């Protein structure tokens, strides 16, 4: 056999083997590891996906909550799992694009050790202020901050969190000064905003407070207007497009090395689930944008966000804990 024929033969065998592998997937129940404890938005979306994914694949999908360390415990667990598609992960993008800068060295490479499968939700945070601040739009808030440097406080869910970086970037882009007040979770952050203990914050799930008149939304991160607050302009519309870099998402990943055919099968089934009317309504009711993506698109977004947040952390002088 000539070398050319040998190479062709080996190529055909590899293709047949790969096709056979994909054709046999799944061969047992799947585990969807979730990066947060039970309850909350990521967990709710994960359970919705798990139920429908189990129905479409013909094998049950078991939800396994492994919260802690901003999702890195779950990510490290999944990256060590067999790369056969039977163990997958749902997490928030902050685990992969912020944790390396906030927590220091991680036990895994966020760009290499996990294979992107699909986005499951998009984050579109709003700039929310307490009505007592007495501002009606973004320019008036900026003027107030300039008139009283450092006097206005904004809440965040911790050092290096999305709201923290958003507030820091707003200060940089508008040449203003305000003070970050870090909380241990979203609930106390919002409660103190409602009580005017802090004057503003960034959040995606508080549209009900805005509609009730308890908070006022001045702008959304974008790039599009929020489906929950369609009358609120984007920062780009208001002349600050750089704020779009504070974008976030939830996504599904598999261990690196999972066969492409399995990744595509998972992506296809998850896309169908996310595009159902009931799924879209549920995701939007939680303050998130209904989105889906190809594995390639998610990989590109992961790499872009990782680079952007590294630059933003350095520019805002936010360091690891």
């Amino acid at each position: 056999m000539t070398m050319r024929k040998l190479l062709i033969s080996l190529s055909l065998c590899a293709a047949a083997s790969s096709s056979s592998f994909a054709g046999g997937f799944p061969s047992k129940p799947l585990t969807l590891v979730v990066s947060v404890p039970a309850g909350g938005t990521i967990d709710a979306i994960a359970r919705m996906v798990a139920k429908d994914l189990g129905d479409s694949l013909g094998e049950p999908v078991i939800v396994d909550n492994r919260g802690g360390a901003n999702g890195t415990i779950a990510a490290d667990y999944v990256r060590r799992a067999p790369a056969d598609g039977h163990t997958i992960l749902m997490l928030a993008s902050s685990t992969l694009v912020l944790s390396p800068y906030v927590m220091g060295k991680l036990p895994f490479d966020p760009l290499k050790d996990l294979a992107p499968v699909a986005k499951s939700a998009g984050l579109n945070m709003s700039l929310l202020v307490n009505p007592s601040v007495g501002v009606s739009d973004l320019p008036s808030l900026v003027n107030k901050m300039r008139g009283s440097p450092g006097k206005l406080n904004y809440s965040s869910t911790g050092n290096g969190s999305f709201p923290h970086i958003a507030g820091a970037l707003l200060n940089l882009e508008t040449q203003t000064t305000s003070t970050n007040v870090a909380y241990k979770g979203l609930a106390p952050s919002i409660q103190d905003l409602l009580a005017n203990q802090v004057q503003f914050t960034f959040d995606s799930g508080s549209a009900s407070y805005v509609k009730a008149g308890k908070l006022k939304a001045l702008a959304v991160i974008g790039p599009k207007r929020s489906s929950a607050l369609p009358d609120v302009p984007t920062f780009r519309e208001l002349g600050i497009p750089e704020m779009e870099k504070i974008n976030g998402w939830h996504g599904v990943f598999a261990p690196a090395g999972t066969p492409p055919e399995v990744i595509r099968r998972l992506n296809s089934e998850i896309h169908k689930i996310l595009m159902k009317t009931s799924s879209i309504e549920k995701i939007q009711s939680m303050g998130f944008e209904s989105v889906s993506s190809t594995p390639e698109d998610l990989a590109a977004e992961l790499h872009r966000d990782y680079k952007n947040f590294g630059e933003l952390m350095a520019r805002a002088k936010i360091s690891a804990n």
Side-chain angles (χ1 to χ4, degrees), residues 22-285:
F25 173 81
S27 60
K28 59 183 180 180
L30 281 71
T31 299
L32 174 55
V33 178
V34 184
S35 63
V36 296
T41 54
I42 300 178
D43 181 63
I45 295 172
R47 291 178 186 277
M48 175 188 75
V49 169
K51 179 183 180 303
D52 289 356
L53 186 60
D55 292 341
S56 64
L57 291 178
E59 289 283 358
V61 179
I62 302 163
V63 174
D64 181 7
N65 296 90
R66 292 179 178 263
N70 194 32
T72 59
I73 292 173
D76 189 45
Y77 176 82
V78 171
R79 68 104 175 178
R80 297 173 184 273
D84 57 10
H86 289 92
T87 302
I88 55 179
L89 167 72
M90 186 178 289
L91 46 57
S93 59
S94 60
T95 299
L96 303 180
V97 304
L98 279 181
S99 292
Y101 304 109
V102 177
M103 301 176 64
K105 186 174 177 59
L106 301 181
F108 61 90
D109 188 322
L111 301 181
K112 296 179 180 179
D113 290 342
L114 294 167
V117 176
K119 284 176 68 173
S120 50
L123 180 68
N124 193 0
M125 293 190 298
S126 305
L127 168 55
L128 305 171
V129 299
N130 187 291
S132 299
V133 178
V135 298
S136 58
D137 53 25
L138 181 60
S140 57
L141 175 65
V142 171
N143 287 335
K144 198 172 189 72
M145 287 194 290
R146 285 176 177 164
S148 304
K151 295 296 179 63
L152 267 65
N153 299 323
Y154 69 94
S155 61
S156 74
T157 50
N159 181 59
S161 63
F162 278 116
H164 179 195
I165 299 173
L169 182 58
L170 178 63
N171 286 334
L172 289 169
E173 289 297 304
T174 59
Q175 298 180 331
T176 57
T177 304
S178 58
T179 303
N180 170 50
V181 180
Y183 291 80
K184 292 185 177 181
L186 179 61
S189 165
I190 296 298
Q191 286 305 310
D192 269 13
L193 176 62
L194 290 167
N196 200 32
Q197 296 301 309
V198 292
Q199 285 67 58
F200 68 96
T201 195
F202 288 83
D203 180 46
S204 63
S206 298
S208 60
Y209 292 122
V210 176
K211 293 173 182 176
K214 296 180 178 181
L215 296 175
K216 186 170 183 61
L218 304 184
V220 296
I221 295 294
K224 297 178 180 180
R225 291 194 178 196
S226 168
S227 56
L229 298 168
D231 296 330
V232 179
T234 66
F235 275 99
R236 179 175 290 275
E237 292 177 72
L238 298 173
I240 314 179
E242 191 75 2
M243 292 296 293
E244 288 177 10
K245 289 185 176 179
I246 312 295
N247 248 323
W249 37 265
H250 296 170
V252 179
F253 288 77
T258 300
E261 293 77 10
V262 173
I263 296 289
R264 283 196 291 270
R265 175 82 188 281
L266 287 168
N267 176 271
S268 175
E269 299 299 342
I270 291 172
H271 174 79
K272 292 175 187 175
I273 294 167
L274 295 175
M275 291 300 101
K276 290 167 55 178
T277 300
S278 58
S279 299
I280 293 172
E281 291 175 348
K282 182 169 186 176
I283 290 170
Q284 291 182 346
S285 72

